[in-house]
């Protein structure tokens, strides 16, 4: 921000170096890109992610079905679940061996997670399956999809701003290196006396 203020201050300053003005213009360009480009990139990523995720929501609603299942026996231990929305230990699920019938009518038997705090033989619960009866996670809902899309958009905007700032810092570093190199050349041209007035006497 100080460099941007320098654009106005250094306009007619006789002590102004070319690199001072260049640094100020680079800082102004970076600020404008952060304020304009980063939100646009974020909005575009949000829109693309929203479209893809809502399509996934629709596809999962069509391909996943809740079917009634019957507990055969409860199993000890834990089982990883494929649902990204569930938090282990918070939703009261129990690992059981169960029987269920797929949407296509075929019978199935296997180990699944039941939405029961304590399971007993013969207890019934609802199980998400695909059309062939294989256990799957609960379908993604629209609200969760929207949240994921917004997070992706915000992340893209922040990443864009970070990249712009990294390029600004790189450009300023290059300018400072060139400035120091020119100073070294000027000192070398001045000779070993370094401009002292009594050097020749």
């Amino acid at each position: 921000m100080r460099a941007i203020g320098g654009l106005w201050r250094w306009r007619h300053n006789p002590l102004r170096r070319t690199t001072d003005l260049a640094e100020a213009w680079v800082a102004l360009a970076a600020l404008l890109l952060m304020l304009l480009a980063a939100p646009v990139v974020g909005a575009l990523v949000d829109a693309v992610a929203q479209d893809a995720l809502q399509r996934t929501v629709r596809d999962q609603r069509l391909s996943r079905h809740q079917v009634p299942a019957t507990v055969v026996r409860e199993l000890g231990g834990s089982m990883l679940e494929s649902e990204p929305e569930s938090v282990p230990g918070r939703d009261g699920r129990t690992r059981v061996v169960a029987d269920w019938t797929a949407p296509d009518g075929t019978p199935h038997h296997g180990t699944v997670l039941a939405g029961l705090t304590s399971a007993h033989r013969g207890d019934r619960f609802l199980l998400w399956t695909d059309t062939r009866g294989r256990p799957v996670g609960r379908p993604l809902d629209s609200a969760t999809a929207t949240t994921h899309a917004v997070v992706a958009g915000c992340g893209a905007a922040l990443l864009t701003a970070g990249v712009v700032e990294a390029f600004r810092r790189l450009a300023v570093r290059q300018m400072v290196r060139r400035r120091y190199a020119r100073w070294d050349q000027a000192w070398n041209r001045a000779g070993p006396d370094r401009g002292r007035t009594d050097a020749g006497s």
Side-chain angles (χ1 to χ4, degrees):
M1 292 305 288
R2 281 181 287 138
I4 293 169
L7 275 175
W8 181 260
R9 254 193 350 265
W10 294 331
R11 284 180 318 144
H12 304 296
N13 190 328
L15 298 177
R16 183 197 72 206
R17 298 169 296 204
T18 306
T19 54
D20 293 332
L21 201 56
E23 282 180 35
W25 278 111
V26 166
L28 179 62
L31 178 66
L32 289 176
L33 281 172
M34 285 183 199
L35 293 176
L36 301 175
V40 168
V41 169
L44 287 173
V45 169
D46 174 56
V48 169
Q50 183 77 263
D51 184 52
L53 288 169
Q54 293 300 337
R55 197 176 317 119
T56 300
V57 168
R58 289 190 297 275
D59 291 346
Q60 287 185 357
R61 282 183 182 161
L62 292 174
S63 65
R64 298 184 182 193
H65 310 278
Q66 266 191 318
V67 297
T70 306
V71 174
V72 174
R73 73 177 186 276
E74 182 179 0
L75 295 174
S78 62
M79 177 175 158
L80 293 177
E81 189 179 5
S82 60
E83 291 185 46
E85 295 84 14
S86 67
V87 177
R90 198 170 81 178
D91 54 3
R93 291 183 177 268
T94 307
R95 189 170 170 241
V96 299
V97 175
D99 291 324
W100 67 93
T101 303
D104 63 3
T106 58
H108 288 269
H109 177 85
T111 303
V112 295
L113 285 174
L116 304 167
T117 52
S118 65
H120 304 287
R121 182 177 177 83
D123 286 349
R124 294 178 64 80
F125 63 95
L126 291 175
L127 176 69
W128 285 102
T129 69
D130 62 12
T131 52
R132 299 166 97 182
R134 292 176 296 203
V136 293
R138 182 176 70 218
L140 184 66
D141 61 274
S142 294
T144 304
T146 299
T147 301
H148 290 327
V150 169
V151 169
C154 291
L158 290 173
L159 182 63
T160 302
V163 168
V164 168
E165 175 61 12
F167 275 111
R168 184 198 69 80
R169 286 176 183 257
L170 187 62
V172 169
R173 182 180 295 169
Q174 288 297 107
M175 289 179 203
V176 170
R177 280 186 184 165
R178 285 191 199 128
R179 182 188 304 155
Y180 287 154
R182 281 198 293 269
W183 282 354
D184 286 342
Q185 290 169 1
W187 276 111
N188 289 336
R189 280 195 303 269
D193 298 332
R194 304 286 187 244
R196 287 182 297 202
T197 55
D198 59 345
S201 55

